[in-house]
Amino acid sequence: MIGRSLIALLLLAGCTTTASKPGQCRADRAQDLVGKPWAPTSEADVLKRTGAKALRVIGPDTMVTMDYRIDRLNVETDAAGIVTRLRCG
């Protein structure tokens, strides 16, 4: 009985993957930007690196919608324009 359960768990573990789907955002690929000034000229490079199709920069007083988009990268900055966080959604 334990053998079957172990085999089932191993098979399920093999189904998980870290590969992203086309258009799916991968913020982990641009974490090196945290702590650096945001430059709008970096947008095309960041989109390419993360696989995101859309990008929005969110400053400290920026109002944003609460919709979740798997293909969007959110670049959060402080008042000085320094990147504080990158996340998808």
Side-chain angles (χ1 to χ4, degrees):
M1 190 71 162
I2 294 176
R4 287 185 187 176
S5 298
L6 183 58
I7 291 171
L9 284 174
L10 290 173
L11 289 173
L12 285 174
C15 292
T16 62
T17 180
T18 57
S20 60
K21 299 174 187 172
Q24 182 177 354
C25 173
R26 293 284 309 271
D28 59 308
R29 295 179 178 168
Q31 292 300 315
D32 61 304
L33 296 175
V34 174
K36 297 179 181 173
W38 173 251
T41 56
S42 303
E43 186 172 326
D45 176 58
V46 172
L47 288 172
K48 184 177 178 182
R49 287 171 54 189
T50 62
K53 298 295 180 203
L55 179 141
R56 67 178 172 182
V57 179
I58 305 170
D61 296 322
T62 305
M63 294 180 66
V64 296
T65 61
M66 296 298 292
D67 62 316
Y68 181 84
R69 289 183 47 192
I70 196 168
D71 67 339
R72 179 174 57 205
L73 177 69
N74 294 297
V75 179
E76 297 181 22
T77 65
D78 64 12
I82 305 298
V83 177
T84 58
R85 182 177 173 200
L86 293 164
R87 63 182 172 86
C88 299

